[in-house]
Amino acid sequence: MNRIPEPELMDSPPQVDAYDGADFAEPNRFFTDILLERFGSRLEKTGHVVDLGCGPGNISIRLARLLPGWQITGLDAGPNMLDRAGTRVREEGLEDRIRLVHAHLPEMPGDLRDFDLVISNSLLHHLPDPMVLWHSITRLARPGGLVQVMDLQRPDSPEIARELVSEHAGNEPEILQEDFYNSLRAAWTIDEVGDQLARAGLDGLSIRSFTSRHWLVQGTIGSRT
Ligand SMILES: C[S@@+](CC[C@H](N)C(=O)[O-])C[C@H]1O[C@@H](n2cnc3c(N)ncnc32)[C@H](O)[C@@H]1O
């Protein structure tokens, strides 16, 4: 199936409400479970993680709970989405642990650098130029830093995309079902992401199929040259 890009930002108030109200508990749990399974033994007691395209902050907040000694930076280009993340962070009493940064990649504040861990979930398929994510990761991670990126895999046909929507979002509002369908059509395949990693020179990262609808990239950043 040919890729159909979707708008980069999902920041209208109804989109933010729908996204924030959706039940992403399962994929979010998959994301943090596999992170700890792969990297748990290498995560120091303290550290700093950046969550690229953090949206309403669900994964940033989960990680703050799982890694109590760590500081978290959540970065997003959508002002309304970031406002919602701010509300969630305050509700959880995590203002001292989670810093939220408004930035539209590849632009980012110069003080963001040397992160021990760079994570991103469901951002890549929104970017007009996918290399922006991989170059941002190279810039933000410290040498030897850890990386985990998850996103949707583009299915082979529109029919399979519709089946995935009804299986995994059948009970969600219409606006969210359409967003999910459009995201599946905008998603990159494993082969395409493999090419992107090679072009970015990210030899320490590898990709694999993760769930029926996701791929997962994990690995380590080499020393900067
Ligand atoms: C599908 S949401 C994913 C949110 C979150 N990571 C999650 O797993 O729930 C994608 C997010 O990426 C953000 N985004 C899109 N393009 C961006 C860019 N160039 N720089 C920063 N954030 C961007 C959008 O505003 C949106 O909040």
Side-chain angles (χ1 to χ4, degrees), residues 8 50-53 75 77 103-120 123-124 127 129-143 145-147 149 196-197 199-202 205 221 224:
E8 182 172 11
V50 62
D51 180 3
L52 302 178
L75 178 154
H104 193 150
L105 299 173
E107 304 303 321
M108 59 186 112
D111 68 325
L112 295 190
R113 49 182 299 173
D114 288 329
F115 285 91
D116 304 293
L117 173 64
V118 182
I119 61 167
S120 181
L123 167 63
L124 187 69
L127 297 175
D129 174 5
M131 297 310 288
V132 162
L133 176 62
W134 308 116
H135 291 148
S136 299
I137 288 173
T138 304
R139 180 173 149 190
L140 288 165
R142 67 166 171 76
L146 307 172
V147 176
V149 178
Q196 294 164 16
L197 293 175
R199 271 194 283 147
L202 289 167
L205 305 189
I221 295 290
R224 290 192 181 106

Side-chain angles (χ1 to χ4, degrees), residues 10 19 24-32 34 50-60 62 75-76 81 118-126 133-134 137 147-153 210-211 213-217:
M10 40 185 312
Y19 194 83
F24 291 120
E26 187 187 58
N28 290 345
R29 194 180 64 249
F30 287 162
F31 188 95
T32 50
I34 199 74
V50 62
D51 180 3
L52 302 178
C54 66
N58 298 332
I59 290 181
S60 293
R62 277 187 74 83
L75 178 154
D76 203 281
M81 199 62 107
V118 182
I119 61 167
S120 181
N121 182 46
S122 284
L123 167 63
L124 187 69
H125 73 267
H126 283 282
L133 176 62
W134 308 116
I137 288 173
V147 176
Q148 178 169 298
V149 178
M150 185 170 93
D151 207 329
L152 297 166
Q153 302 191 42
F210 184 44
T211 74
R213 56 206 188 282
H214 296 100
W215 48 252
L216 183 76
V217 165

Side-chain angles (χ1 to χ4, degrees), residues 10-28:
M10 40 185 312
D11 201 52
S12 72
Q15 277 179 316
V16 171
D17 282 345
Y19 194 83
D20 185 36
D23 182 5
F24 291 120
E26 187 187 58
N28 290 345

